[in-house]
PDB file of all heavy atoms in Angstrom:
ATOM      1  N   ALA A 276      88.707 138.036  33.408  1.00 96.00           N
ATOM      2  CA  ALA A 276      87.695 137.078  33.882  1.00 96.00           C
ATOM      3  C   ALA A 276      86.306 137.706  33.949  1.00 96.00           C
ATOM      4  O   ALA A 276      85.308 137.006  33.837  1.00 96.00           O
ATOM      5  CB  ALA A 276      88.082 136.547  35.265  1.00 96.00           C
ATOM      6  N   ASN A 277      86.273 139.021  34.126  1.00 94.00           N
ATOM      7  CA  ASN A 277      84.987 139.704  34.353  1.00 94.00           C
ATOM      8  C   ASN A 277      84.863 140.859  33.378  1.00 94.00           C
ATOM      9  O   ASN A 277      84.946 142.021  33.761  1.00 94.00           O
ATOM     10  CB  ASN A 277      84.918 140.203  35.797  1.00 94.00           C
ATOM     11  CG  ASN A 277      85.087 139.070  36.790  1.00 94.00           C
ATOM     12  OD1 ASN A 277      84.190 138.258  36.960  1.00 94.00           O
ATOM     13  ND2 ASN A 277      86.266 139.001  37.417  1.00 94.00           N
ATOM     14  N   ARG A 278      84.693 140.510  32.111  1.00 89.00           N
ATOM     15  CA  ARG A 278      84.651 141.538  31.076  1.00 89.00           C
ATOM     16  C   ARG A 278      83.399 142.370  31.233  1.00 89.00           C
ATOM     17  O   ARG A 278      82.288 141.855  31.142  1.00 89.00           O
ATOM     18  CB  ARG A 278      84.704 140.889  29.686  1.00 89.00           C
ATOM     19  CG  ARG A 278      85.978 140.107  29.434  1.00 89.00           C
ATOM     20  CD  ARG A 278      87.183 141.017  29.331  1.00 89.00           C
ATOM     21  NE  ARG A 278      87.122 141.817  28.145  1.00 89.00           N
ATOM     22  CZ  ARG A 278      87.750 141.509  27.006  1.00 89.00           C
ATOM     23  NH1 ARG A 278      88.508 140.446  26.921  1.00 89.00           N
ATOM     24  NH2 ARG A 278      87.639 142.292  25.958  1.00 89.00           N
ATOM     25  N   LYS A 279      83.590 143.650  31.453  1.00 83.00           N
ATOM     26  CA  LYS A 279      82.440 144.532  31.633  1.00 83.00           C
ATOM     27  C   LYS A 279      82.402 145.620  30.574  1.00 83.00           C
ATOM     28  O   LYS A 279      81.675 146.592  30.703  1.00 83.00           O
ATOM     29  CB  LYS A 279      82.454 145.133  33.038  1.00 83.00           C
ATOM     30  CG  LYS A 279      82.145 144.057  34.077  1.00 83.00           C
ATOM     31  CD  LYS A 279      82.218 144.578  35.489  1.00 83.00           C
ATOM     32  CE  LYS A 279      81.881 143.459  36.465  1.00 83.00           C
ATOM     33  NZ  LYS A 279      82.462 143.663  37.785  1.00 83.00           N
ATOM     34  N   ASP A 280      83.218 145.442  29.540  1.00 78.00           N
ATOM     35  CA  ASP A 280      83.168 146.371  28.425  1.00 78.00           C
ATOM     36  C   ASP A 280      81.752 146.351  27.857  1.00 78.00           C
ATOM     37  O   ASP A 280      80.976 145.421  28.089  1.00 78.00           O
ATOM     38  CB  ASP A 280      84.134 145.932  27.321  1.00 78.00           C
ATOM     39  CG  ASP A 280      85.364 145.207  27.849  1.00 78.00           C
ATOM     40  OD1 ASP A 280      85.701 145.414  29.023  1.00 78.00           O
ATOM     41  OD2 ASP A 280      85.964 144.427  27.094  1.00 78.00           O
ATOM     42  N   ASP A 281      81.416 147.363  27.104  1.00 78.00           N
ATOM     43  CA  ASP A 281      80.062 147.465  26.558  1.00 78.00           C
ATOM     44  C   ASP A 281      79.663 146.227  25.757  1.00 78.00           C
ATOM     45  O   ASP A 281      78.501 145.867  25.697  1.00 78.00           O
ATOM     46  CB  ASP A 281      79.962 148.685  25.638  1.00 78.00           C
ATOM     47  CG  ASP A 281      79.998 149.974  26.442  1.00 78.00           C
ATOM     48  OD1 ASP A 281      79.675 149.933  27.646  1.00 78.00           O
ATOM     49  OD2 ASP A 281      80.349 151.011  25.868  1.00 78.00           O
ATOM     50  N   PHE A 282      80.666 145.608  25.131  1.00 82.00           N
ATOM     51  CA  PHE A 282      80.351 144.485  24.257  1.00 82.00           C
ATOM     52  C   PHE A 282      79.776 143.298  25.027  1.00 82.00           C
ATOM     53  O   PHE A 282      78.951 142.548  24.520  1.00 82.00           O
ATOM     54  CB  PHE A 282      81.605 144.054  23.511  1.00 82.00           C
ATOM     55  CG  PHE A 282      81.383 142.958  22.524  1.00 82.00           C
ATOM     56  CD1 PHE A 282      80.965 143.247  21.239  1.00 82.00           C
ATOM     57  CD2 PHE A 282      81.553 141.634  22.884  1.00 82.00           C
ATOM     58  CE1 PHE A 282      80.746 142.235  20.325  1.00 82.00           C
ATOM     59  CE2 PHE A 282      81.340 140.617  21.973  1.00 82.00           C
ATOM     60  CZ  PHE A 282      80.938 140.919  20.690  1.00 82.00           C
ATOM     61  N   PHE A 283      80.236 143.139  26.258  1.00 86.00           N
ATOM     62  CA  PHE A 283      79.922 141.917  26.984  1.00 86.00           C
ATOM     63  C   PHE A 283      78.605 142.015  27.734  1.00 86.00           C
ATOM     64  O   PHE A 283      78.343 142.978  28.452  1.00 86.00           O
ATOM     65  CB  PHE A 283      81.058 141.547  27.937  1.00 86.00           C
ATOM     66  CG  PHE A 283      82.203 140.944  27.189  1.00 86.00           C
ATOM     67  CD1 PHE A 283      83.183 141.741  26.623  1.00 86.00           C
ATOM     68  CD2 PHE A 283      82.269 139.575  26.995  1.00 86.00           C
ATOM     69  CE1 PHE A 283      84.217 141.186  25.902  1.00 86.00           C
ATOM     70  CE2 PHE A 283      83.300 139.020  26.274  1.00 86.00           C
ATOM     71  CZ  PHE A 283      84.277 139.821  25.717  1.00 86.00           C
ATOM     72  N   ILE A 284      77.792 141.010  27.543  1.00 85.00           N
ATOM     73  CA  ILE A 284      76.467 140.957  28.149  1.00 85.00           C
ATOM     74  C   ILE A 284      76.538 140.143  29.433  1.00 85.00           C
ATOM     75  O   ILE A 284      75.920 140.463  30.429  1.00 85.00           O
ATOM     76  CB  ILE A 284      75.490 140.312  27.151  1.00 85.00           C
ATOM     77  CG1 ILE A 284      75.323 141.264  25.961  1.00 85.00           C
ATOM     78  CG2 ILE A 284      74.164 140.000  27.800  1.00 85.00           C
ATOM     79  CD1 ILE A 284      75.008 140.577  24.678  1.00 85.00           C
ATOM     80  N   ARG A 285      77.328 139.085  29.380  1.00 90.00           N
ATOM     81  CA  ARG A 285      77.393 138.156  30.498  1.00 90.00           C
ATOM     82  C   ARG A 285      78.861 137.810  30.746  1.00 90.00           C
ATOM     83  O   ARG A 285      79.402 136.901  30.107  1.00 90.00           O
ATOM     84  CB  ARG A 285      76.612 136.887  30.147  1.00 90.00           C
ATOM     85  CG  ARG A 285      76.360 135.952  31.307  1.00 90.00           C
ATOM     86  CD  ARG A 285      75.780 134.646  30.810  1.00 90.00           C
ATOM     87  NE  ARG A 285      74.470 134.791  30.205  1.00 90.00           N
ATOM     88  CZ  ARG A 285      73.330 134.683  30.865  1.00 90.00           C
ATOM     89  NH1 ARG A 285      73.337 134.431  32.152  1.00 90.00           N
ATOM     90  NH2 ARG A 285      72.179 134.789  30.222  1.00 90.00           N
ATOM     91  N   PRO A 286      79.522 138.523  31.652  1.00 91.00           N
ATOM     92  CA  PRO A 286      80.933 138.210  31.921  1.00 91.00           C
ATOM     93  C   PRO A 286      81.075 136.761  32.381  1.00 91.00           C
ATOM     94  O   PRO A 286      80.198 136.227  33.061  1.00 91.00           O
ATOM     95  CB  PRO A 286      81.300 139.175  33.053  1.00 91.00           C
ATOM     96  CG  PRO A 286      80.267 140.254  33.012  1.00 91.00           C
ATOM     97  CD  PRO A 286      79.018 139.617  32.489  1.00 91.00           C
ATOM     98  N   ALA A 287      82.188 136.146  31.992  1.00 92.00           N
ATOM     99  CA  ALA A 287      82.375 134.728  32.274  1.00 92.00           C
ATOM    100  C   ALA A 287      82.530 134.463  33.770  1.00 92.00           C
ATOM    101  O   ALA A 287      82.154 133.403  34.261  1.00 92.00           O
ATOM    102  CB  ALA A 287      83.600 134.209  31.523  1.00 92.00           C
ATOM    103  N   GLY A 288      83.114 135.417  34.497  1.00 93.00           N
ATOM    104  CA  GLY A 288      83.405 135.159  35.910  1.00 93.00           C
ATOM    105  C   GLY A 288      84.518 134.151  36.096  1.00 93.00           C
ATOM    106  O   GLY A 288      84.695 133.590  37.176  1.00 93.00           O
ATOM    107  N   ALA A 289      85.265 133.921  35.046  1.00 96.00           N
ATOM    108  CA  ALA A 289      86.324 132.908  35.080  1.00 96.00           C
ATOM    109  C   ALA A 289      87.276 133.184  33.929  1.00 96.00           C
ATOM    110  O   ALA A 289      86.922 133.850  32.955  1.00 96.00           O
ATOM    111  CB  ALA A 289      85.725 131.512  34.927  1.00 96.00           C
ATOM    112  N   VAL A 290      88.486 132.675  34.070  1.00 97.00           N
ATOM    113  CA  VAL A 290      89.430 132.756  32.961  1.00 97.00           C
ATOM    114  C   VAL A 290      90.379 131.576  33.102  1.00 97.00           C
ATOM    115  O   VAL A 290      90.775 131.225  34.217  1.00 97.00           O
ATOM    116  CB  VAL A 290      90.181 134.114  32.946  1.00 97.00           C
ATOM    117  CG1 VAL A 290      90.972 134.349  34.226  1.00 97.00           C
ATOM    118  CG2 VAL A 290      91.067 134.246  31.725  1.00 97.00           C
ATOM    119  N   ASP A 291      90.688 130.920  31.997  1.00 98.00           N
ATOM    120  CA  ASP A 291      91.644 129.815  32.119  1.00 98.00           C
ATOM    121  C   ASP A 291      93.057 130.351  31.889  1.00 98.00           C
ATOM    122  O   ASP A 291      93.258 131.444  31.361  1.00 98.00           O
ATOM    123  CB  ASP A 291      91.261 128.624  31.238  1.00 98.00           C
ATOM    124  CG  ASP A 291      91.630 128.767  29.779  1.00 98.00           C
ATOM    125  OD1 ASP A 291      92.563 129.501  29.444  1.00 98.00           O
ATOM    126  OD2 ASP A 291      90.980 128.110  28.954  1.00 98.00           O
ATOM    127  N   ILE A 292      94.024 129.584  32.329  1.00 98.00           N
ATOM    128  CA  ILE A 292      95.411 130.055  32.347  1.00 98.00           C
ATOM    129  C   ILE A 292      95.889 130.466  30.947  1.00 98.00           C
ATOM    130  O   ILE A 292      96.665 131.422  30.805  1.00 98.00           O
ATOM    131  CB  ILE A 292      96.344 128.988  32.977  1.00 98.00           C
ATOM    132  CG1 ILE A 292      97.768 129.491  33.134  1.00 98.00           C
ATOM    133  CG2 ILE A 292      96.330 127.680  32.198  1.00 98.00           C
ATOM    134  CD1 ILE A 292      97.945 130.567  34.161  1.00 98.00           C
TER     135      ILE A 292
END
Side-chain angles (χ1 to χ4, degrees):
Chain A
N277 302 287
R278 298 291 292 263
K279 290 177 179 155
D280 329 337
D281 289 338
F282 183 86
F283 283 86
I284 293 151
R285 192 189 295 269
V290 60
D291 80 25
I292 185 69

